[in-house]
Amino acid sequence: MNVLVFVKRVPDTESRIRIDREAKSVVEEGLNFIISPYDEYAIEEALRLREAKGGKVVVASLGPVETLATLRKALAMGADEAVLIKDDRKETYDPLRVARVLAAFARNRQADADLLLFGRMSVGSDNAAVPSMVAEILGLPQANVVTRLEIEGATATAQREIESALEKISFSLPAVVSAQKGLNEPRYETLKGIMAAKKKTIPVLTLSDLGLPEEASVPQVEVMNIELPAAKQAGKILAGTPEEAARELVRLLRTEAKAL
Amino acid sequence: MILTYIEVRNGKVKKSSLETLSEARRAAAAMGVAAEAVLVGYALDGALAEVRSSGAAKIHLLESPELADYSSQGYALALEGLVKETAPAAVFFPATAMGRDLAPRLSARLGVSLASDCTAISVSSGRLAFTRPIYAGKALLAVTLPASPAIATLRPNVFPLEPETSVEAEIIRKTVAIPAGAVKGKVVEVLGESGAAIDVAEAEIVVSGGRAMKGPEGFTLLGELAAVLPRAAVGASRTAVDSGWIGHSHQVGQTGKTVSPNIYFAFGISGAIQHLAGMSSSKVIVAVNKDPEAPMFKVADYGIVADLFQVVPALVAAIKALGA
Ligand SMILES: Cc1cc2nc3c(=O)[nH]c(=O)nc-3n(C[C@H](O)[C@H](O)[C@H](O)COP(=O)(O)OP(=O)(O)OC[C@H]3O[C@@H](n4cnc5c(N)ncnc54)[C@H](O)[C@@H]3O)c2cc1C
Ligand SMILES: Nc1ncnc2c1ncn2[C@@H]1O[C@H](COP(=O)(O)O)[C@@H](O)[C@H]1O
């Protein structure tokens, strides 16, 4: 069972976000970058599948050359191979552009993958769209926001969270699955893993290596502006005993906020 | 024309779909075009009755026995046919589990991009502009989508509902042919669907607790408060979920659900950025915390600096007193 995992290098979720003067992009200077947290569930699931069924785990990312460090972490967790698709464009917030590149990579370079694993959303651009788009471009079935995955031969069953319920999806392989918290508990890198990862070379591909002309990767999303949300006015602190404060709160929620 | 996807679950129309249609009507009016709606599935008449006079000029029903259970491939295929035929300027979906699964699939099928989880839509010089939170709500991104149709998912509970109209929509029925082998995966079962429990993402009031709840009993207490409030659900911080006091489906935040209820109560939740990511678009925020410095007070409209174990019962009593 060969598993292809897509990971993205993203700013740490604790980061303070600053916006450039043109209000078109986020200032990257000073940000600390990590593997998008959901992608770690995807890597962990891939490693578990390999442990149970054999095969190999290949991790790939589209991003700037600094993404090599992100991929190295995936290798240290235990992935067999990592590939960087080098992209010098800043964040475009365009999921279709990313999906086209990742799908071309999967089709041209990893045609033997039985499963394509993703995170349910890349934190930062917050699209939650790339997995479904890759699935569509490759004509594969999909299961998104998955908290349980079972594979039996060439078919799989996944559980995903929907409003007030869990949805069970049955699908054939190869397929696209995106991981949600709850699927597993990602392992930490071991010292041995880190040492082994250092020895591996990470091939670096360009978009033209994938047979994609530059134009094919021009973003289709036009950024008008990026701004910080308006700062909220300080709220009212309600004084008195807990009983008095509770009564006052209920009164304000009804008469002032008109929310009750 | 702007087309709205109406989500049908268990034969019923989801409220978030009606909010989406309401926003589509406003945007369509600003552009001087019509608003239409589409339902996909099988035996849709019950659902149709719920949307007949919701202000769509036309309602398209795309039906097939093979669409009785949701499949992203089958539904995208059905919608593609309609989009090719009617050439809408935009297609709006509710940003629900289904909408977020289906919209990007349709986008890729049509070769256009999309704007996910939008919280505002405007029209300027005839073009749609979409605003969506990025970096977990730490920034707001406004984009246009030059290709046609523009596809967007709209965050539930954000866009106000327009009143029903007296005008009945024109109904256009189509039977969709699904070629053999086109659908390689579909929903086979829905587990734990109960009419009674409201999901945090759909509730009008969310009563959330954090580490301070100390254990599952704390959440029983919050359940008592939720029970005396209209359409309320219990939410939780990640710390509470990871401690095993309440299920993951209640988690609010970056790794949990995004909610924007009319009232969000945060009991003993410090207000970490990853938690705020999931609830900062709530209309009214109430923070109850022992620590006056807790960051949650910075986003709260109303705050009480006190022990939550005293405040929750007092609130239950104060709300019950209203009804009496
Ligand atoms: C990648 C990533 C993703 C994350 N995703 C999420 C997410 O989706 N959701 C989420 O919630 N967190 C998430 N977190 C965790 C987040 O950073 C915080 O650790 C978490 O939200 C803290 O939970 P808390 O507020 O319940 O606990 P704490 O931060 O410990 O706060 C407890 C609060 O309770 C108050 N308190 C204590 N006793 C009482 C009492 N008796 N009465 C009143 N107040 C009292 C304290 O003053 C304190 O403010 C994520 C973190 C990371 C790194
Ligand atoms: N630049 C990228 N390189 C590799 N994988 C990506 C990239 N962007 C998104 N993905 C994958 O797609 C998932 C969903 O991303 P998104 O649709 O951007 O929210 C991520 O969790 C990754 O698994």
Side-chain angles (χ1 to χ4, degrees):
Chain A
M1 165 124 202
N2 296 324
V3 185
L4 178 54
V5 187
F6 288 108
V7 303
K8 185 176 177 187
R9 170 183 178 267
V10 300
D12 190 332
T13 54
E14 305 275 350
S15 307
R16 196 167 77 84
I17 297 296
R18 288 178 300 146
I19 291 160
D20 77 346
R21 222 172 294 132
E22 280 83 51
K24 297 273 190 202
S25 64
V26 161
V27 179
E28 293 205 347
E29 195 181 274
L31 292 179
N32 175 37
F33 285 85
I34 56 167
I35 293 191
S36 186
Y38 300 105
D39 300 353
E40 290 194 22
Y41 301 112
I43 298 172
E44 177 63 35
E45 198 63 15
L47 297 175
R48 291 186 188 193
L49 285 167
R50 182 190 63 193
E51 281 154 16
K53 298 176 193 282
K56 64 172 183 186
V57 173
V58 178
V59 177
S61 186
L62 172 71
V65 74
E66 291 81 4
T67 310
L68 284 171
T70 314
L71 289 168
R72 204 119 350 246
K73 178 179 155 110
L75 287 175
M77 283 175 75
D80 298 288
E81 294 168 32
V83 183
L84 173 64
I85 310 162
K86 195 160 120 13
D87 184 18
D88 296 320
R89 241 179 229 277
K90 281 189 102 175
E91 176 63 65
T92 60
Y93 305 101
D94 181 352
L96 185 65
R97 174 178 183 274
V98 177
R100 282 182 166 155
V101 176
L102 302 188
F105 172 74
R107 182 188 285 136
N108 300 343
R109 302 280 174 145
Q110 299 288 330
D112 62 346
D114 302 296
L115 182 66
L116 277 58
L117 274 170
F118 296 76
R120 81 151 165 103
M121 176 173 98
S122 64
V123 309
S125 47
D126 292 7
N127 294 312
V130 169
S132 304
M133 289 178 161
V134 170
E136 175 58 33
I137 296 169
L138 297 174
L140 302 179
Q142 72 193 37
N144 284 313
V145 201
V146 164
T147 51
R148 191 190 280 184
L149 179 64
E150 274 154 33
I151 294 181
E152 271 298 322
T155 60
T157 321
Q159 236 172 54
R160 73 187 216 104
E161 290 180 348
I162 61 167
E163 293 79 10
S164 304
L166 288 171
E167 210 170 59
K168 216 169 172 181
I169 305 171
S170 166
F171 52 97
S172 62
L173 296 184
V176 162
V177 169
S178 74
Q180 161 72 326
K181 178 189 181 228
L183 179 60
N184 52 44
E185 218 23 81
R187 68 193 66 189
Y188 292 104
E189 312 91 291
T190 58
L191 191 59
K192 197 166 145 246
I194 295 170
M195 298 313 285
K198 277 198 181 137
K199 293 202 195 95
K200 290 189 175 160
T201 42
I202 301 178
V204 179
L205 302 178
T206 61
L207 300 186
S208 53
D209 289 335
L210 298 177
L212 279 168
E214 248 327 290
E215 315 86 76
S217 63
V218 173
Q220 274 201 33
V221 169
E222 237 168 65
V223 174
M224 294 166 68
N225 77 306
I226 301 182
E227 58 183 27
L228 298 177
K232 242 186 135 163
Q233 286 211 331
K236 274 187 198 161
I237 298 291
L238 312 180
T241 64
E243 288 73 23
E244 285 160 359
R247 273 198 299 274
E248 179 62 1
L249 176 61
V250 170
R251 191 185 71 78
L252 288 169
L253 287 174
R254 298 191 72 194
T255 56
E256 189 178 77
K258 303 205 180 340
L260 255 189
Chain B
M1 181 268 279
I2 298 181
L3 184 65
T4 298
Y5 175 77
I6 303 289
E7 175 175 346
V8 181
R9 179 81 64 64
N10 269 340
K12 291 224 153 53
V13 169
K14 305 289 277 183
K15 174 165 163 274
S16 48
S17 301
L18 300 177
E19 294 164 8
T20 306
L21 176 57
S22 295
E23 185 61 16
R25 279 169 66 190
R26 285 184 286 268
M31 291 170 77
V33 298
E36 300 183 7
V38 57
L39 282 67
V40 182
Y42 188 57
L44 292 168
D45 287 280
L48 175 64
E50 293 182 62
V51 286
R52 258 206 138 96
S53 21
S54 302
K58 290 181 187 168
I59 298 179
H60 303 267
L61 293 187
L62 306 179
E63 289 179 301
S64 159
E66 278 150 292
L67 298 172
D69 297 311
Y70 172 69
S71 70
S72 62
Q73 287 176 308
Y75 279 43
L77 190 146
L79 288 171
E80 179 198 23
L82 181 67
V83 168
K84 293 231 157 116
E85 190 188 311
T86 59
V91 188
F92 290 179
F93 291 80
T96 52
M98 190 192 284
R100 298 201 75 169
D101 191 64
L102 177 58
R105 183 119 208 167
L106 177 68
S107 297
R109 205 172 173 91
L110 298 167
V112 300
S113 202
L114 96 162
S116 297
D117 203 19
C118 299
T119 51
I121 294 175
S122 62
V123 179
S124 77
S125 24
R127 286 231 287 179
L128 286 165
F130 302 93
T131 301
R132 46 183 299 258
I134 51 172
Y135 301 94
K138 283 184 274 186
L140 291 171
L141 168 71
V143 299
T144 56
L145 300 170
S148 193
I151 299 191
T153 61
L154 278 62
R155 183 176 288 189
N157 277 339
V158 168
F159 297 93
L161 274 178
E162 288 275 322
E164 294 256 311
T165 63
S166 52
V167 189
E168 276 213 1
E170 178 189 340
I171 312 297
I172 302 161
R173 284 176 191 271
K174 263 189 215 86
T175 306
V176 182
I178 307 288
V183 175
K184 296 174 189 154
K186 58 161 51 182
V187 171
V188 288
E189 199 181 345
V190 178
L191 305 159
E193 184 137 59
S194 74
I198 304 172
D199 192 79
V200 275
E202 298 184 315
E204 277 162 25
I205 298 180
V206 176
V207 177
S208 279
R211 188 197 300 275
M213 300 318 299
K214 292 206 187 101
E217 317 73 44
F219 282 92
T220 312
L221 187 66
L222 294 186
E224 286 165 22
L225 176 56
V228 296
L229 290 165
R231 285 194 60 79
V234 175
S237 76
R238 174 167 176 169
T239 313
V241 170
D242 286 355
S243 305
W245 304 338
I246 186 163
H248 177 255
S249 63
H250 296 266
Q251 183 175 322
V252 172
Q254 188 158 48
T255 17
K257 291 189 172 147
T258 303
V259 304
S260 37
N262 292 337
I263 311 177
Y264 188 85
F265 288 94
F267 291 103
I269 299 180
S270 57
I273 185 67
Q274 297 91 350
H275 189 84
L276 300 183
M279 45 66 70
S280 55
S281 60
S282 303
K283 272 138 238 145
V284 179
I285 297 172
V286 176
V288 177
N289 200 303
K290 279 205 293 206
D291 174 7
E293 303 296 321
M296 187 59 86
F297 285 120
K298 292 211 173 66
V299 301
D301 299 278
Y302 302 110
I304 300 178
V305 182
D307 182 350
L308 75 93
F309 290 101
Q310 296 188 313
V311 176
V312 176
L315 268 174
V316 173
I319 291 158
K320 278 192 180 155
L322 285 181

